[in-house]
Amino acid sequence: MTDQTVSSALATRDTGPGAMVERYRDDLAMVMPSHVKPDTFVRLAVSVLRRDPRLAEAASNNPAALMGALLEAARLGLEPGTEQYYLTPRKMKGRLEIQGIRGYQGEIELIYRAGAVSSVIVEVVRKNDTFRYSPGRDERPHHEIDWDAADRGPLRLVYAYAVMKDGATSKVVVLNRAQVMQAKAMSQGSDSAYSPWQKHEEAMWMKTAAHRLTKWVPTSAEYMREQLRAQAEVAAERPSPTAPLPQPAGITETDDDAPIDAEFVDEEPSDWPPTAQPGAGARA
């Protein structure tokens, strides 16, 4: 479906953004992991569009950007319009359009989905907190909070680590304010009044640390490749540890050097919907 065709879907009030999302439920379902219920996904997307007039306006201005963001959320198996996956309006060439941004809960969900960790800890440290961590000496950070304090002070640090199912502790990621601000500067639209960096600053600090942690723990994409390896070995009735792994449709490699919010919708979105690929419905 081309941008022009998508735009024509909004020609009348009866085919507004919410109605369009409902109409393309099956196209979104094709790329969802198996644990995601298409009806629930669509209901969440429609609900957030109908709740926020600015989002509805942005979706009407560029329907292809809306569907591109929803496609990304569907492929990752994250809930749109929540702290798993934000839908936000952003200004492009003087008008509002939809931008999709993974939230910290989405990053954590992708870690849990790999099945290798028992818990993920992501916390911010404020000025009046007590925080100690010495790499090589301490297994985990020591963080004390005065819960009776009226004001813990401004954000100072953020940290993240995972406890693996065998009890081991992953690498501990600790970022200071300067490092978080550097990540923010690389995020397109972070200075916009609509950006989650402005409206949910603490959550975006946590998202930054959780995203960095994914470099050191198994992710859902890695888990999927291991599942494919196991399936191939069973099908062949013999182990084949050196056999190349197929890349499942709908899963892309993570570029650790990319901006923290590299998931934003491109300025010139591609045609919608995409051509269905074999295995697109596999669990990510």
Side-chain angles (χ1 to χ4, degrees), residues 100-116:
I101 299 176
R102 254 184 285 178
Y104 84 95
Q105 290 186 1
E107 299 283 0
I108 292 173
E109 166 66 17
L110 295 178
I111 294 173
Y112 273 121
R113 203 181 297 161

Side-chain angles (χ1 to χ4, degrees), residues 87-107:
L87 293 176
T88 65
R90 62 165 179 169
K91 276 200 173 181
M92 290 294 296
K93 299 179 180 178
R95 67 175 188 172
L96 292 178
E97 295 182 0
I98 292 287
Q99 178 182 13
I101 299 176
R102 254 184 285 178
Y104 84 95
Q105 290 186 1
E107 299 283 0

Side-chain angles (χ1 to χ4, degrees), residues 44-45 48 51 78-87 101-106 200:
L44 285 169
V48 71
R51 260 195 336 262
L78 302 179
E79 297 178 346
T82 71
E83 288 189 328
Q84 286 191 2
Y85 193 91
Y86 295 107
L87 293 176
I101 299 176
R102 254 184 285 178
Y104 84 95
Q105 290 186 1
H200 310 285

Side-chain angles (χ1 to χ4, degrees), residues 181-202:
M181 291 301 100
Q182 183 180 31
K184 176 183 176 182
M186 297 175 68
S187 171
Q188 183 173 352
S190 60
D191 292 331
S192 165
Y194 307 116
S195 170
W197 279 103
Q198 305 298 322
K199 300 174 67 176
H200 310 285
E201 183 183 21
E202 181 174 310

Side-chain angles (χ1 to χ4, degrees), residues 120-196:
V120 179
I121 293 82
V122 185
E123 293 288 349
V124 294
V125 179
R126 292 184 175 271
K127 184 178 180 180
N128 297 331
D129 296 352
T130 297
F131 181 82
R132 295 190 301 274
Y133 175 65
S134 295
R137 186 191 70 184
D138 301 329
E139 182 183 11
R140 300 174 188 175
H142 177 78
H143 184 194
E144 293 183 2
I145 299 172
D146 181 0
W147 295 109
D148 290 323
D151 183 6
R152 290 170 53 199
L155 292 166
R156 173 184 157 216
L157 304 167
V158 63
Y159 64 93
Y161 65 90
V163 179
M164 314 307 288
K165 287 193 171 177
D166 62 4
T169 302
S170 72
K171 178 180 175 64
V172 178
V173 173
V174 182
L175 302 174
N176 60 27
R177 173 173 284 275
Q179 291 169 309
V180 174
M181 291 301 100
Q182 183 180 31
K184 176 183 176 182
M186 297 175 68
S187 171
Q188 183 173 352
S190 60
D191 292 331
S192 165
Y194 307 116
S195 170

